[in-house]
Amino acid sequence: MRSVSNFRSLGILAGVLGLAVTSAVPTAQALDRLEFRVSGGNDEVERAIKGASALIATRAEEDEEAQDLFGAARAEYGRLVTALYGLGYYSPVVSVLVDGREAAAIPPLDAPETIRKIEVLVQVGPPFRFGVARVAPLAPETDLPDGFRTGERARSGLVQDSVRAAAEGWRGVGHAKVDIGSETVVADHARRTLDADIRMAPGPRLRFGDLRIQGQTRMSERRIRKIASLPSGQQYDPEELEDSAERLRRTGVFRSVSLTEDEAVTPPDLLGITATLVDELPRHYSFGVEISSSEGATVSGEWIHRNFLGGGERLTVGGEVDNLGAANSGVDYRLGVTLDRPATPVADTTLSFGIEIERLDEEDYLADTTSLTTSLSRVFSDRLTGSVGIGYAYSDVEDENGAYIYEYVSLPTSLIWNTRDDDLDATKGYFVSAGATPFLGFDDTGSGGQLTLDSRAFFGFGAEERPFVLAGRAQAGAVFGSDLLETPRDYLFYSGGGGTVRGQPYQSLGVRPDPENPDYKIGGTRFAALSAELRAPITERIGVVAFADAGYVTAEDIDSDRDEWHAGAGLGVRYDTGFGPIRVDVAGPIGGDTGDGVQIYVGIGQAF
């Protein structure tokens, strides 16, 4: 016996019938018992059946009614057969009894008003294997799924995945209108095989045509085309199309961006693209708060104007007040203004200008700093970004040894590699940020360079939806070329506090350059810190964290054996808000002599 199998018709028919019943039958009393009996299956089969069951899904709803259950019972046949096809079973027998009557035999307009018992009986039948497994022709370097070959279990999803892979292969080499030329899918019940023979119709190789724009109201079309940078006239490539859409999304100007291909080809071989854009609100406000028992509170706010000059420019005015109520330092203030212009000078590159005024009232020094920066940032891929800039800074510093003026020009560069699945609450992936900043000092300010590294790794295990997570972080930094006291203070390194070693007071670890004044402390020119966390879920929204941190600070030609390292450890609680976890950490010192007592940290997002 041979039959041609249609993978979609049963499910569609069942859904239509279920919809008709729902609209025709009045509300009535619902079900007492739902039973499943599966013959010839295994654990995988039973999981698939219950996962596909419309009856189980309907029963889980708060207000189940007889009309809904009857519609689900009629839809059950198609859903369960489709699920079993997905596992390679092509001769199942499904019976759904509603109070002893076959659901498929009950006319939709004669549906019962009361349902007491539903029985679902499934005879799974034997598994089928592929006889013929062929999708052709294929574009160069197209890989089909490993299981799609003669003799392997004939899971229906493998046929669909193979066709999808073949289509993507042809689209990747310019054949945007690839289609299925013919398909023969035959289940041979006598031999228990499935023959799948799919012929692809690649169509002509196409080039990108014009980009048409609709829906936008505030940004000029010239700038939209410059930012999207669709390579009109070049060979069609779906990755280029997605890159163009992502460039428009990154501006933040649009609430939604959709780039769609024309149905028809413009002779001889051009495929037009339409960009459908919906504007975002032009202005955006945000604020944040973090609290630490020793560092006090940090309050920050930001005002953003999207599309400031009509070309996708972003104007950002941000301010921050640190150390409100801090135990050992005064209040710090920062105010900055930046203007970012995308696609300048080319696509994936943003030109930025910024000015910042800052006052730092730290335990060891008081500094008033003004800085100007110009930078170019580049998106190399969805994982790799980089930037290079030039800056000027003037800083007036006072400490217990006197007053200093630091005036210098810098050339900051950085690369960031980010594969995390979620920046605020990662469960897998890596983050590496590396920076190099040469600086040229004027008058008494030294010249040299600063190197920094911040690397993080995340490994999730256990349940897929709420895994345990092992997280690690390593930080390092060094200053070369300039003497310690001639180095701008913002290039020196401290350890202690929420960003380095929890459980130790903020910036409590530095170096002591004056043997005759052991209480005089400044930042060091060498720095390293390590952090480790185990994050464990407790409920759907609540989790706990155990962590340990350690930090090291020193300087060349400085004997700081008394105070080179310290460590802290503690426990924390996380509450998932949907946009990022609220963090509460409690920690204490476990090494070094820079602090004692318990420190508490509260903020949004994981510690790293």
Side-chain angles (χ1 to χ4, degrees):
M1 174 181 176
R2 296 168 65 87
S3 63
V4 177
S5 300
N6 186 318
F7 296 126
R8 293 175 293 179
S9 60
L10 281 173
I12 294 173
L13 177 60
V16 170
L17 288 175
L19 178 62
V21 171
T22 298
S23 62
V25 180
T27 301
Q29 188 174 356
L31 171 84
D32 292 333
R33 292 171 57 193
L34 173 62
E35 297 180 0
F36 282 79
R37 292 201 291 274
V38 181
S39 303
N42 52 34
D43 289 344
E44 181 186 30
V45 168
E46 292 191 13
R47 285 194 303 270
I49 286 173
K50 292 182 178 179
S53 171
L55 284 165
I56 290 177
T58 302
R59 248 214 137 170
E61 298 174 359
E62 293 184 2
D63 299 322
E64 65 172 42
E65 297 177 352
Q67 62 185 25
D68 300 323
L69 290 166
F70 180 62
R74 291 188 65 99
E76 196 80 343
Y77 300 95
R79 292 173 68 105
L80 298 192
V81 168
T82 300
L84 290 170
Y85 281 7
L87 297 179
Y89 297 91
Y90 293 92
S91 56
V93 178
V94 178
S95 178
V96 182
L97 302 178
V98 178
D99 287 331
R101 302 168 62 192
E102 193 69 50
I106 301 174
L109 297 180
D110 192 26
E113 296 186 5
T114 301
I115 298 176
R116 295 299 183 188
K117 179 181 178 181
I118 297 179
E119 299 171 273
V120 180
L121 312 177
V122 182
Q123 296 179 28
V124 175
F128 282 51
R129 298 193 176 276
F130 283 116
V132 175
R134 180 167 52 235
V135 176
L138 298 177
E141 301 182 5
T142 299
D143 293 323
L144 298 183
D146 290 338
F148 186 67
R149 60 168 63 95
T150 298
E152 296 289 339
R153 177 74 71 83
R155 300 173 187 268
S156 63
L158 288 171
V159 180
Q160 299 162 357
D161 291 345
S162 297
V163 172
R164 187 179 301 113
E168 290 175 353
W170 282 114
R171 285 173 61 83
V173 293
H175 297 261
K177 295 302 182 182
V178 60
D179 203 352
I180 296 175
S182 65
E183 56 180 319
T184 303
V185 181
V186 179
D188 187 327
H189 293 269
R191 294 192 300 122
R192 298 177 182 175
T193 60
L194 183 77
D195 292 336
D197 189 1
I198 316 295
R199 304 297 298 178
M200 305 300 296
R205 180 176 280 123
L206 301 178
R207 295 179 296 144
F208 281 116
D210 292 334
L211 177 65
R212 293 183 298 275
I213 299 164
Q214 64 182 29
Q216 68 85 25
T217 58
R218 288 188 293 269
M219 188 188 294
S220 70
E221 290 195 3
R222 181 186 65 82
R223 284 292 295 160
I224 291 174
R225 289 190 172 87
K226 177 69 180 294
I227 293 169
S229 292
L230 185 74
S232 298
Q234 297 183 22
Q235 178 177 300
Y236 171 87
D237 186 339
E239 292 186 3
E240 290 281 2
L241 189 64
E242 178 55 32
D243 287 345
S244 294
E246 184 59 28
R247 292 182 190 114
L248 292 170
R249 294 186 190 108
R250 281 200 305 262
T251 66
V253 174
F254 305 108
R255 182 170 300 175
S256 68
V257 174
S258 175
L259 267 60
T260 55
E261 305 163 7
D262 286 357
E263 291 292 332
V265 176
T266 301
D269 59 353
L270 295 178
L271 183 63
I273 304 296
T274 298
T276 303
L277 309 172
V278 178
D279 282 342
E280 183 59 272
L281 294 175
R283 296 170 185 83
H284 171 74
Y285 306 87
S286 65
F287 74 95
V289 177
E290 291 197 15
I291 301 173
S292 166
S293 58
S294 65
E295 300 167 39
T298 297
V299 180
S300 60
E302 196 172 66
W303 177 86
I304 295 175
H305 191 298
R306 308 177 177 102
N307 201 30
F308 182 58
L309 300 175
E313 300 86 359
R314 172 178 294 210
L315 178 68
T316 303
V317 180
E320 186 174 274
V321 181
D322 291 339
N323 301 337
L324 288 167
N328 299 313
S329 62
V331 178
D332 298 342
Y333 304 91
R334 295 181 183 86
L335 178 63
V337 179
T338 60
L339 180 65
D340 302 316
R341 191 173 195 269
T344 305
V346 296
D348 294 319
T349 302
T350 298
L351 175 63
S352 300
F353 301 95
I355 180 171
E356 183 177 79
I357 300 172
E358 178 181 58
R359 181 178 179 84
L360 299 180
D361 189 357
E362 305 296 346
E363 179 181 1
D364 302 315
Y365 66 93
L366 177 67
D368 293 300
T369 303
T370 300
S371 60
L372 304 171
T373 58
T374 300
S375 65
L376 288 171
S377 58
R378 173 81 174 179
V379 177
F380 297 103
S381 71
D382 59 350
R383 295 183 175 184
L384 182 65
T385 59
S387 68
V388 60
I390 185 170
Y392 166 82
Y394 182 93
S395 185
D396 187 351
V397 177
E398 295 182 12
D399 63 20
E400 63 178 72
N401 265 22
Y404 306 85
I405 297 295
Y406 296 102
E407 186 179 7
Y408 55 96
V409 173
S410 61
L411 187 68
T413 61
S414 68
L415 282 174
I416 296 176
W417 183 56
N418 185 4
T419 66
R420 294 175 295 182
D421 57 341
D422 186 331
D423 289 352
L424 288 178
D425 192 10
T427 61
K428 61 182 178 180
Y430 301 92
F431 173 89
V432 180
S433 175
T437 306
F439 58 90
L440 174 65
F442 302 112
D443 296 328
D444 295 331
T445 305
S447 299
Q450 184 201 57
L451 299 177
T452 60
L453 177 67
D454 183 358
S455 59
R456 312 172 193 183
F458 306 88
F459 174 70
F461 60 95
E464 184 174 347
E465 292 186 0
R466 295 283 295 166
F468 288 81
V469 177
L470 282 174
R473 182 183 192 183
Q475 300 177 78
V479 174
F480 298 95
S482 63
D483 292 337
L484 179 64
L485 295 180
E486 295 178 351
T487 302
R489 294 298 173 90
D490 56 346
Y491 287 161
L492 298 178
F493 301 101
Y494 288 89
S495 179
T500 51
V501 178
R502 288 162 288 182
Q504 297 285 354
Y506 176 64
Q507 292 191 351
S508 56
L509 182 62
V511 298
R512 304 183 185 277
D514 188 354
E516 298 181 359
N517 185 4
D519 294 329
Y520 177 56
K521 181 183 73 183
I522 64 173
T525 57
R526 302 288 186 271
F527 161 74
L530 296 173
S531 297
E533 289 192 349
L534 174 60
R535 304 168 183 171
I538 301 298
T539 68
E540 184 176 348
R541 293 202 173 268
I542 298 175
V544 296
V545 175
F547 59 85
D549 305 329
Y552 171 87
V553 177
T554 189
E556 287 184 315
D557 302 324
I558 299 296
D559 182 7
S560 56
D561 291 340
R562 186 179 63 139
D563 227 10
E564 285 188 342
W565 76 280
H566 62 182
L571 298 172
V573 177
R574 306 289 185 266
Y575 178 79
D576 185 6
T577 63
F579 59 84
I582 294 176
R583 177 182 77 254
V584 179
D585 287 337
V586 179
I590 60 172
D593 58 3
T594 55
D596 55 16
V598 171
Q599 309 288 334
I600 300 173
Y601 308 88
V602 180
I604 296 177
Q606 296 286 0
F608 60 88

